[in-house]
Amino acid sequence: MSNDSKIAGTYATSPASGYAGDVTPATAWKILSERGDAVLIDVRTRAEWNYVGLPDLEALAKKPALVEWQSFPSMQLNPEFVATLSSALPDKGAPLLFLCRSGARSAAAAKAMTAAGYSTCLNVADGFEGPLDAKARRGEAGGWKAAGLPWRQT
């Protein structure tokens, strides 16, 4: 659970083991909008960023941090993940919102950063594209894109 009472008492979070909790994409946007210190960290692969798209935080005067949790095509864990983020984000109390395709890699990243001493690591449930729909496609049944939040392709 988050040690940041401003998050726990203000925003809807779902309990999670090993990190502050899960939030919906809409709640993630609200936190990013209302908390100047909040950071969205997209942990997908370069291929996903380039071909699927990125969250667009321009309206908030922010950019997502892009740090791969695993590298495509081998999907090996990035051994520098924690060190890279730790050096870029010295405020261990800032809300960190982790995003991947569907919420699994980002939950693992949130656990890793919590273990590194960051107190408010949140997983964006359903990720950027969400679960597969009835047609075995992503992007419609849940996630950042399906919630109608801003995104762009490069």
Side-chain angles (χ1 to χ4, degrees), residues 102-153:
S102 58
R105 286 174 285 173
S106 50
K111 286 179 186 178
M113 292 309 290
T114 298
Y118 288 78
S119 63
T120 311
C121 296
L122 300 159
N123 177 44
V124 180
D126 287 336
F128 188 68
E129 295 182 84
L132 294 170
D133 65 14
K135 295 179 183 176
R137 297 180 185 160
R138 294 185 191 277
E140 300 292 327
W144 188 276
K145 289 168 74 174
L149 295 171
W151 66 282
R152 63 180 173 80
Q153 289 185 298

mmCIF file of all heavy atoms in Angstrom, residues 102-153:
data_model
loop_
_atom_site.group_PDB
_atom_site.id
_atom_site.type_symbol
_atom_site.label_atom_id
_atom_site.label_comp_id
_atom_site.label_asym_id
_atom_site.label_seq_id
_atom_site.Cartn_x
_atom_site.Cartn_y
_atom_site.Cartn_z
ATOM 1 N N SER A 102 -0.658 -4.620 -21.169
ATOM 2 C CA SER A 102 -1.883 -5.094 -20.528
ATOM 3 C C SER A 102 -1.844 -5.090 -19.006
ATOM 4 O O SER A 102 -2.812 -5.487 -18.375
ATOM 5 C CB SER A 102 -2.199 -6.506 -21.027
ATOM 6 O OG SER A 102 -1.118 -7.375 -20.750
ATOM 7 N N GLY A 103 -0.755 -4.666 -18.407
ATOM 8 C CA GLY A 103 -0.688 -4.536 -16.960
ATOM 9 C C GLY A 103 0.202 -5.522 -16.236
ATOM 10 O O GLY A 103 0.392 -5.387 -15.032
ATOM 11 N N ALA A 104 0.785 -6.493 -16.923
ATOM 12 C CA ALA A 104 1.624 -7.496 -16.249
ATOM 13 C C ALA A 104 3.064 -7.013 -16.052
ATOM 14 O O ALA A 104 3.583 -7.052 -14.937
ATOM 15 C CB ALA A 104 1.602 -8.809 -17.013
ATOM 16 N N ARG A 105 3.705 -6.567 -17.122
ATOM 17 C CA ARG A 105 5.086 -6.082 -16.998
ATOM 18 C C ARG A 105 5.149 -4.848 -16.106
ATOM 19 O O ARG A 105 6.081 -4.677 -15.320
ATOM 20 C CB ARG A 105 5.673 -5.746 -18.373
ATOM 21 C CG ARG A 105 6.017 -6.970 -19.201
ATOM 22 C CD ARG A 105 6.451 -6.575 -20.590
ATOM 23 N NE ARG A 105 5.281 -6.186 -21.365
ATOM 24 C CZ ARG A 105 5.320 -5.651 -22.579
ATOM 25 N NH1 ARG A 105 6.472 -5.385 -23.166
ATOM 26 N NH2 ARG A 105 4.208 -5.354 -23.217
ATOM 27 N N SER A 106 4.148 -3.991 -16.212
ATOM 28 C CA SER A 106 4.148 -2.778 -15.401
ATOM 29 C C SER A 106 3.974 -3.095 -13.924
ATOM 30 O O SER A 106 4.544 -2.407 -13.069
ATOM 31 C CB SER A 106 3.083 -1.796 -15.887
ATOM 32 O OG SER A 106 1.825 -2.415 -16.024
ATOM 33 N N ALA A 107 3.232 -4.139 -13.586
ATOM 34 C CA ALA A 107 3.109 -4.548 -12.180
ATOM 35 C C ALA A 107 4.465 -5.026 -11.666
ATOM 36 O O ALA A 107 4.861 -4.696 -10.542
ATOM 37 C CB ALA A 107 2.053 -5.642 -12.027
ATOM 38 N N ALA A 108 5.180 -5.784 -12.484
ATOM 39 C CA ALA A 108 6.514 -6.252 -12.088
ATOM 40 C C ALA A 108 7.461 -5.073 -11.900
ATOM 41 O O ALA A 108 8.261 -5.037 -10.955
ATOM 42 C CB ALA A 108 7.058 -7.227 -13.127
ATOM 43 N N ALA A 109 7.379 -4.077 -12.773
ATOM 44 C CA ALA A 109 8.215 -2.884 -12.658
ATOM 45 C C ALA A 109 7.872 -2.097 -11.390
ATOM 46 O O ALA A 109 8.768 -1.598 -10.698
ATOM 47 C CB ALA A 109 8.048 -2.008 -13.897
ATOM 48 N N ALA A 110 6.588 -1.994 -11.078
ATOM 49 C CA ALA A 110 6.157 -1.298 -9.854
ATOM 50 C C ALA A 110 6.706 -2.001 -8.619
ATOM 51 O O ALA A 110 7.163 -1.346 -7.672
ATOM 52 C CB ALA A 110 4.634 -1.210 -9.802
ATOM 53 N N LYS A 111 6.712 -3.329 -8.622
ATOM 54 C CA LYS A 111 7.276 -4.095 -7.501
ATOM 55 C C LYS A 111 8.772 -3.827 -7.372
ATOM 56 O O LYS A 111 9.285 -3.646 -6.262
ATOM 57 C CB LYS A 111 7.041 -5.592 -7.692
ATOM 58 C CG LYS A 111 5.631 -6.018 -7.445
ATOM 59 C CD LYS A 111 5.473 -7.520 -7.673
ATOM 60 C CE LYS A 111 4.013 -7.919 -7.572
ATOM 61 N NZ LYS A 111 3.818 -9.350 -7.839
ATOM 62 N N ALA A 112 9.471 -3.813 -8.500
ATOM 63 C CA ALA A 112 10.923 -3.598 -8.478
ATOM 64 C C ALA A 112 11.271 -2.225 -7.922
ATOM 65 O O ALA A 112 12.197 -2.083 -7.114
ATOM 66 C CB ALA A 112 11.507 -3.771 -9.881
ATOM 67 N N MET A 113 10.520 -1.202 -8.319
ATOM 68 C CA MET A 113 10.823 0.145 -7.839
ATOM 69 C C MET A 113 10.390 0.327 -6.382
ATOM 70 O O MET A 113 11.023 1.071 -5.648
ATOM 71 C CB MET A 113 10.191 1.194 -8.754
ATOM 72 C CG MET A 113 10.821 1.227 -10.152
ATOM 73 S SD MET A 113 12.635 1.347 -10.178
ATOM 74 C CE MET A 113 12.856 3.030 -9.600
ATOM 75 N N THR A 114 9.358 -0.374 -5.970
ATOM 76 C CA THR A 114 8.969 -0.355 -4.555
ATOM 77 C C THR A 114 10.086 -0.972 -3.723
ATOM 78 O O THR A 114 10.476 -0.429 -2.688
ATOM 79 C CB THR A 114 7.638 -1.103 -4.336
ATOM 80 O OG1 THR A 114 6.608 -0.437 -5.084
ATOM 81 C CG2 THR A 114 7.254 -1.149 -2.867
ATOM 82 N N ALA A 115 10.638 -2.083 -4.202
ATOM 83 C CA ALA A 115 11.745 -2.740 -3.507
ATOM 84 C C ALA A 115 12.982 -1.841 -3.452
ATOM 85 O O ALA A 115 13.793 -1.953 -2.539
ATOM 86 C CB ALA A 115 12.083 -4.070 -4.180
ATOM 87 N N ALA A 116 13.089 -0.916 -4.422
ATOM 88 C CA ALA A 116 14.221 0.022 -4.457
ATOM 89 C C ALA A 116 13.976 1.246 -3.573
ATOM 90 O O ALA A 116 14.798 2.159 -3.547
ATOM 91 C CB ALA A 116 14.491 0.457 -5.892
ATOM 92 N N GLY A 117 12.851 1.273 -2.855
ATOM 93 C CA GLY A 117 12.598 2.342 -1.903
ATOM 94 C C GLY A 117 11.614 3.414 -2.328
ATOM 95 O O GLY A 117 11.406 4.383 -1.600
ATOM 96 N N TYR A 118 10.981 3.274 -3.482
ATOM 97 C CA TYR A 118 9.988 4.247 -3.930
ATOM 98 C C TYR A 118 8.647 3.896 -3.295
ATOM 99 O O TYR A 118 8.194 2.757 -3.354
ATOM 100 C CB TYR A 118 9.904 4.260 -5.459
ATOM 101 C CG TYR A 118 11.118 4.911 -6.067
ATOM 102 C CD1 TYR A 118 12.316 4.221 -6.170
ATOM 103 C CD2 TYR A 118 11.080 6.235 -6.491
ATOM 104 C CE1 TYR A 118 13.454 4.827 -6.697
ATOM 105 C CE2 TYR A 118 12.208 6.839 -7.016
ATOM 106 C CZ TYR A 118 13.394 6.133 -7.116
ATOM 107 O OH TYR A 118 14.512 6.726 -7.626
ATOM 108 N N SER A 119 7.993 4.885 -2.671
ATOM 109 C CA SER A 119 6.834 4.607 -1.834
ATOM 110 C C SER A 119 5.489 4.592 -2.554
ATOM 111 O O SER A 119 4.532 4.021 -2.039
ATOM 112 C CB SER A 119 6.759 5.624 -0.689
ATOM 113 O OG SER A 119 6.576 6.928 -1.211
ATOM 114 N N THR A 120 5.407 5.195 -3.735
ATOM 115 C CA THR A 120 4.105 5.308 -4.393
ATOM 116 C C THR A 120 4.182 4.823 -5.830
ATOM 117 O O THR A 120 4.078 5.594 -6.781
ATOM 118 C CB THR A 120 3.589 6.765 -4.323
ATOM 119 O OG1 THR A 120 3.712 7.229 -2.981
ATOM 120 C CG2 THR A 120 2.122 6.834 -4.720
ATOM 121 N N CYS A 121 4.378 3.527 -5.989
ATOM 122 C CA CYS A 121 4.442 2.903 -7.306
ATOM 123 C C CYS A 121 3.074 2.304 -7.619
ATOM 124 O O CYS A 121 2.574 1.451 -6.877
ATOM 125 C CB CYS A 121 5.510 1.827 -7.341
ATOM 126 S SG CYS A 121 7.177 2.482 -7.081
ATOM 127 N N LEU A 122 2.485 2.758 -8.712
ATOM 128 C CA LEU A 122 1.147 2.336 -9.102
ATOM 129 C C LEU A 122 1.183 1.693 -10.478
ATOM 130 O O LEU A 122 1.891 2.154 -11.375
ATOM 131 C CB LEU A 122 0.208 3.542 -9.124
ATOM 132 C CG LEU A 122 0.058 4.277 -7.787
ATOM 133 C CD1 LEU A 122 -0.433 5.696 -8.004
ATOM 134 C CD2 LEU A 122 -0.855 3.500 -6.865
ATOM 135 N N ASN A 123 0.412 0.644 -10.643
ATOM 136 C CA ASN A 123 0.293 -0.046 -11.918
ATOM 137 C C ASN A 123 -0.975 0.428 -12.616
ATOM 138 O O ASN A 123 -2.049 0.447 -12.015
ATOM 139 C CB ASN A 123 0.227 -1.560 -11.668
ATOM 140 C CG ASN A 123 0.038 -2.335 -12.944
ATOM 141 O OD1 ASN A 123 0.677 -2.062 -13.948
ATOM 142 N ND2 ASN A 123 -0.850 -3.312 -12.908
ATOM 143 N N VAL A 124 -0.866 0.800 -13.883
ATOM 144 C CA VAL A 124 -2.042 1.174 -14.656
ATOM 145 C C VAL A 124 -2.680 -0.125 -15.159
ATOM 146 O O VAL A 124 -2.170 -0.776 -16.074
ATOM 147 C CB VAL A 124 -1.694 2.119 -15.825
ATOM 148 C CG1 VAL A 124 -2.953 2.484 -16.604
ATOM 149 C CG2 VAL A 124 -0.992 3.371 -15.311
ATOM 150 N N ALA A 125 -3.779 -0.492 -14.514
ATOM 151 C CA ALA A 125 -4.470 -1.741 -14.836
ATOM 152 C C ALA A 125 -4.930 -1.739 -16.298
ATOM 153 O O ALA A 125 -5.360 -0.712 -16.818
ATOM 154 C CB ALA A 125 -5.669 -1.924 -13.916
ATOM 155 N N ASP A 126 -4.813 -2.848 -16.938
ATOM 156 C CA ASP A 126 -5.164 -3.061 -18.346
ATOM 157 C C ASP A 126 -4.203 -2.376 -19.315
ATOM 158 O O ASP A 126 -4.355 -2.492 -20.518
ATOM 159 C CB ASP A 126 -6.600 -2.650 -18.672
ATOM 160 C CG ASP A 126 -7.626 -3.616 -18.107
ATOM 161 O OD1 ASP A 126 -7.280 -4.792 -17.874
ATOM 162 O OD2 ASP A 126 -8.774 -3.197 -17.889
ATOM 163 N N GLY A 127 -3.225 -1.630 -18.808
ATOM 164 C CA GLY A 127 -2.164 -1.093 -19.649
ATOM 165 C C GLY A 127 -2.610 -0.169 -20.765
ATOM 166 O O GLY A 127 -3.632 0.492 -20.688
ATOM 167 N N PHE A 128 -1.814 -0.126 -21.810
ATOM 168 C CA PHE A 128 -2.056 0.758 -22.944
ATOM 169 C C PHE A 128 -3.112 0.191 -23.877
ATOM 170 O O PHE A 128 -3.970 0.902 -24.371
ATOM 171 C CB PHE A 128 -0.740 0.987 -23.699
ATOM 172 C CG PHE A 128 -0.820 2.028 -24.787
ATOM 173 C CD1 PHE A 128 -1.011 3.367 -24.462
ATOM 174 C CD2 PHE A 128 -0.687 1.689 -26.113
ATOM 175 C CE1 PHE A 128 -1.082 4.342 -25.454
ATOM 176 C CE2 PHE A 128 -0.743 2.644 -27.110
ATOM 177 C CZ PHE A 128 -0.940 3.976 -26.786
ATOM 178 N N GLU A 129 -3.060 -1.123 -24.116
ATOM 179 C CA GLU A 129 -3.965 -1.737 -25.085
ATOM 180 C C GLU A 129 -5.066 -2.586 -24.474
ATOM 181 O O GLU A 129 -6.028 -2.914 -25.150
ATOM 182 C CB GLU A 129 -3.176 -2.623 -26.048
ATOM 183 C CG GLU A 129 -2.208 -1.872 -26.915
ATOM 184 C CD GLU A 129 -1.511 -2.813 -27.859
ATOM 185 O OE1 GLU A 129 -2.087 -3.115 -28.924
ATOM 186 O OE2 GLU A 129 -0.406 -3.272 -27.521
ATOM 187 N N GLY A 130 -4.926 -2.979 -23.225
ATOM 188 C CA GLY A 130 -5.951 -3.779 -22.577
ATOM 189 C C GLY A 130 -5.964 -5.233 -23.001
ATOM 190 O O GLY A 130 -5.122 -5.689 -23.769
ATOM 191 N N PRO A 131 -6.964 -5.967 -22.514
ATOM 192 C CA PRO A 131 -7.067 -7.393 -22.828
ATOM 193 C C PRO A 131 -7.587 -7.621 -24.246
ATOM 194 O O PRO A 131 -8.088 -6.698 -24.897
ATOM 195 C CB PRO A 131 -8.076 -7.903 -21.795
ATOM 196 C CG PRO A 131 -8.951 -6.718 -21.536
ATOM 197 C CD PRO A 131 -8.032 -5.523 -21.615
ATOM 198 N N LEU A 132 -7.476 -8.853 -24.681
ATOM 199 C CA LEU A 132 -8.039 -9.227 -25.975
ATOM 200 C C LEU A 132 -9.559 -9.136 -25.907
ATOM 201 O O LEU A 132 -10.175 -9.523 -24.911
ATOM 202 C CB LEU A 132 -7.630 -10.658 -26.345
ATOM 203 C CG LEU A 132 -6.144 -10.886 -26.613
ATOM 204 C CD1 LEU A 132 -5.849 -12.369 -26.732
ATOM 205 C CD2 LEU A 132 -5.707 -10.149 -27.864
ATOM 206 N N ASP A 133 -10.176 -8.662 -26.994
ATOM 207 C CA ASP A 133 -11.628 -8.619 -27.061
ATOM 208 C C ASP A 133 -12.154 -9.896 -27.719
ATOM 209 O O ASP A 133 -11.384 -10.838 -27.963
ATOM 210 C CB ASP A 133 -12.113 -7.356 -27.785
ATOM 211 C CG ASP A 133 -11.727 -7.294 -29.259
ATOM 212 O OD1 ASP A 133 -11.308 -8.321 -29.850
ATOM 213 O OD2 ASP A 133 -11.845 -6.199 -29.843
ATOM 214 N N ALA A 134 -13.427 -9.952 -28.020
ATOM 215 C CA ALA A 134 -14.043 -11.146 -28.606
ATOM 216 C C ALA A 134 -13.470 -11.489 -29.984
ATOM 217 O O ALA A 134 -13.543 -12.636 -30.413
ATOM 218 C CB ALA A 134 -15.557 -10.954 -28.704
ATOM 219 N N LYS A 135 -12.877 -10.509 -30.645
ATOM 220 C CA LYS A 135 -12.263 -10.729 -31.957
ATOM 221 C C LYS A 135 -10.765 -10.967 -31.850
ATOM 222 O O LYS A 135 -10.056 -10.918 -32.841
ATOM 223 C CB LYS A 135 -12.534 -9.539 -32.868
ATOM 224 C CG LYS A 135 -13.999 -9.350 -33.204
ATOM 225 C CD LYS A 135 -14.171 -8.142 -34.088
ATOM 226 C CE LYS A 135 -15.629 -7.902 -34.379
ATOM 227 N NZ LYS A 135 -15.835 -6.679 -35.171
ATOM 228 N N ALA A 136 -10.277 -11.195 -30.626
ATOM 229 C CA ALA A 136 -8.858 -11.429 -30.347
ATOM 230 C C ALA A 136 -7.997 -10.227 -30.738
ATOM 231 O O ALA A 136 -6.893 -10.372 -31.238
ATOM 232 C CB ALA A 136 -8.364 -12.706 -31.024
ATOM 233 N N ARG A 137 -8.516 -9.035 -30.478
ATOM 234 C CA ARG A 137 -7.799 -7.800 -30.749
ATOM 235 C C ARG A 137 -7.697 -6.984 -29.467
ATOM 236 O O ARG A 137 -8.568 -7.025 -28.612
ATOM 237 C CB ARG A 137 -8.534 -6.964 -31.802
ATOM 238 C CG ARG A 137 -8.615 -7.661 -33.130
ATOM 239 C CD ARG A 137 -9.348 -6.795 -34.114
ATOM 240 N NE ARG A 137 -9.541 -7.513 -35.361
ATOM 241 C CZ ARG A 137 -10.447 -7.208 -36.258
ATOM 242 N NH1 ARG A 137 -11.259 -6.182 -36.063
ATOM 243 N NH2 ARG A 137 -10.550 -7.911 -37.361
ATOM 244 N N ARG A 138 -6.657 -6.205 -29.370
ATOM 245 C CA ARG A 138 -6.464 -5.330 -28.216
ATOM 246 C C ARG A 138 -6.828 -3.895 -28.586
ATOM 247 O O ARG A 138 -6.864 -3.531 -29.742
ATOM 248 C CB ARG A 138 -5.014 -5.384 -27.740
ATOM 249 C CG ARG A 138 -4.613 -6.729 -27.195
ATOM 250 C CD ARG A 138 -3.196 -6.694 -26.615
ATOM 251 N NE ARG A 138 -2.736 -8.027 -26.326
ATOM 252 C CZ ARG A 138 -3.014 -8.702 -25.221
ATOM 253 N NH1 ARG A 138 -3.764 -8.149 -24.285
ATOM 254 N NH2 ARG A 138 -2.557 -9.916 -25.034
ATOM 255 N N GLY A 139 -7.062 -3.084 -27.571
ATOM 256 C CA GLY A 139 -7.297 -1.667 -27.784
ATOM 257 C C GLY A 139 -8.752 -1.249 -27.693
ATOM 258 O O GLY A 139 -9.053 -0.062 -27.739
ATOM 259 N N GLU A 140 -9.668 -2.189 -27.554
ATOM 260 C CA GLU A 140 -11.088 -1.862 -27.487
ATOM 261 C C GLU A 140 -11.736 -2.261 -26.162
ATOM 262 O O GLU A 140 -12.696 -1.634 -25.733
ATOM 263 C CB GLU A 140 -11.848 -2.559 -28.631
ATOM 264 C CG GLU A 140 -11.379 -2.170 -30.019
ATOM 265 C CD GLU A 140 -11.703 -0.728 -30.378
ATOM 266 O OE1 GLU A 140 -12.745 -0.215 -29.922
ATOM 267 O OE2 GLU A 140 -10.901 -0.110 -31.098
ATOM 268 N N ALA A 141 -11.234 -3.316 -25.519
ATOM 269 C CA ALA A 141 -11.889 -3.878 -24.328
ATOM 270 C C ALA A 141 -11.418 -3.252 -23.021
ATOM 271 O O ALA A 141 -12.023 -3.470 -21.988
ATOM 272 C CB ALA A 141 -11.677 -5.396 -24.283
ATOM 273 N N GLY A 142 -10.365 -2.496 -23.046
ATOM 274 C CA GLY A 142 -9.843 -1.886 -21.828
ATOM 275 C C GLY A 142 -8.514 -1.233 -22.112
ATOM 276 O O GLY A 142 -7.963 -1.357 -23.203
ATOM 277 N N GLY A 143 -8.002 -0.530 -21.133
ATOM 278 C CA GLY A 143 -6.703 0.105 -21.266
ATOM 279 C C GLY A 143 -6.784 1.567 -21.649
ATOM 280 O O GLY A 143 -7.864 2.147 -21.808
ATOM 281 N N TRP A 144 -5.620 2.179 -21.755
ATOM 282 C CA TRP A 144 -5.457 3.601 -22.036
ATOM 283 C C TRP A 144 -6.200 4.018 -23.300
ATOM 284 O O TRP A 144 -6.966 4.989 -23.301
ATOM 285 C CB TRP A 144 -3.965 3.902 -22.161
ATOM 286 C CG TRP A 144 -3.591 5.338 -22.275
ATOM 287 C CD1 TRP A 144 -3.572 6.102 -23.413
ATOM 288 C CD2 TRP A 144 -3.169 6.197 -21.213
ATOM 289 N NE1 TRP A 144 -3.156 7.378 -23.122
ATOM 290 C CE2 TRP A 144 -2.902 7.458 -21.777
ATOM 291 C CE3 TRP A 144 -2.973 6.013 -19.845
ATOM 292 C CZ2 TRP A 144 -2.450 8.535 -21.025
ATOM 293 C CZ3 TRP A 144 -2.522 7.086 -19.093
ATOM 294 C CH2 TRP A 144 -2.273 8.330 -19.680
ATOM 295 N N LYS A 145 -5.975 3.281 -24.391
ATOM 296 C CA LYS A 145 -6.589 3.644 -25.669
ATOM 297 C C LYS A 145 -8.108 3.533 -25.605
ATOM 298 O O LYS A 145 -8.816 4.438 -26.045
ATOM 299 C CB LYS A 145 -6.037 2.754 -26.782
ATOM 300 C CG LYS A 145 -4.592 3.056 -27.146
ATOM 301 C CD LYS A 145 -3.971 2.008 -28.029
ATOM 302 C CE LYS A 145 -4.475 2.067 -29.432
ATOM 303 N NZ LYS A 145 -3.750 1.113 -30.308
ATOM 304 N N ALA A 146 -8.627 2.440 -25.068
ATOM 305 C CA ALA A 146 -10.070 2.224 -24.991
ATOM 306 C C ALA A 146 -10.746 3.241 -24.074
ATOM 307 O O ALA A 146 -11.920 3.562 -24.266
ATOM 308 C CB ALA A 146 -10.371 0.804 -24.519
ATOM 309 N N ALA A 147 -9.999 3.765 -23.099
ATOM 310 C CA ALA A 147 -10.551 4.780 -22.195
ATOM 311 C C ALA A 147 -10.656 6.148 -22.879
ATOM 312 O O ALA A 147 -11.183 7.097 -22.298
ATOM 313 C CB ALA A 147 -9.693 4.888 -20.932
ATOM 314 N N GLY A 148 -10.142 6.245 -24.104
ATOM 315 C CA GLY A 148 -10.217 7.500 -24.841
ATOM 316 C C GLY A 148 -9.206 8.541 -24.397
ATOM 317 O O GLY A 148 -9.363 9.727 -24.689
ATOM 318 N N LEU A 149 -8.156 8.076 -23.724
ATOM 319 C CA LEU A 149 -7.114 9.007 -23.278
ATOM 320 C C LEU A 149 -6.187 9.343 -24.447
ATOM 321 O O LEU A 149 -6.052 8.555 -25.389
ATOM 322 C CB LEU A 149 -6.340 8.395 -22.116
ATOM 323 C CG LEU A 149 -7.188 8.190 -20.853
ATOM 324 C CD1 LEU A 149 -6.422 7.388 -19.815
ATOM 325 C CD2 LEU A 149 -7.635 9.523 -20.276
ATOM 326 N N PRO A 150 -5.525 10.489 -24.397
ATOM 327 C CA PRO A 150 -4.694 10.913 -25.523
ATOM 328 C C PRO A 150 -3.526 9.969 -25.789
ATOM 329 O O PRO A 150 -2.853 9.534 -24.852
ATOM 330 C CB PRO A 150 -4.170 12.289 -25.091
ATOM 331 C CG PRO A 150 -5.067 12.740 -23.999
ATOM 332 C CD PRO A 150 -5.581 11.501 -23.331
ATOM 333 N N TRP A 151 -3.323 9.686 -27.058
ATOM 334 C CA TRP A 151 -2.183 8.878 -27.465
ATOM 335 C C TRP A 151 -1.851 9.251 -28.902
ATOM 336 O O TRP A 151 -2.626 9.893 -29.585
ATOM 337 C CB TRP A 151 -2.451 7.383 -27.307
ATOM 338 C CG TRP A 151 -3.508 6.808 -28.195
ATOM 339 C CD1 TRP A 151 -4.871 6.916 -28.029
ATOM 340 C CD2 TRP A 151 -3.314 6.078 -29.401
ATOM 341 N NE1 TRP A 151 -5.522 6.272 -29.057
ATOM 342 C CE2 TRP A 151 -4.581 5.741 -29.914
ATOM 343 C CE3 TRP A 151 -2.180 5.667 -30.105
ATOM 344 C CZ2 TRP A 151 -4.753 5.024 -31.094
ATOM 345 C CZ3 TRP A 151 -2.346 4.942 -31.276
ATOM 346 C CH2 TRP A 151 -3.620 4.624 -31.738
ATOM 347 N N ARG A 152 -0.657 8.837 -29.317
ATOM 348 C CA ARG A 152 -0.215 9.144 -30.673
ATOM 349 C C ARG A 152 0.663 8.010 -31.184
ATOM 350 O O ARG A 152 1.192 7.224 -30.415
ATOM 351 C CB ARG A 152 0.544 10.462 -30.717
ATOM 352 C CG ARG A 152 1.821 10.436 -29.905
ATOM 353 C CD ARG A 152 2.558 11.773 -29.965
ATOM 354 N NE ARG A 152 3.685 11.783 -29.070
ATOM 355 C CZ ARG A 152 4.878 11.230 -29.312
ATOM 356 N NH1 ARG A 152 5.094 10.618 -30.462
ATOM 357 N NH2 ARG A 152 5.853 11.273 -28.432
ATOM 358 N N GLN A 153 0.791 7.975 -32.479
ATOM 359 C CA GLN A 153 1.732 7.055 -33.107
ATOM 360 C C GLN A 153 2.861 7.859 -33.700
ATOM 361 O O GLN A 153 2.691 9.017 -34.084
ATOM 362 C CB GLN A 153 1.047 6.200 -34.172
ATOM 363 C CG GLN A 153 0.123 5.183 -33.541
ATOM 364 C CD GLN A 153 -0.477 4.231 -34.550
ATOM 365 O OE1 GLN A 153 -1.187 4.652 -35.440
ATOM 366 N NE2 GLN A 153 -0.193 2.956 -34.372
#
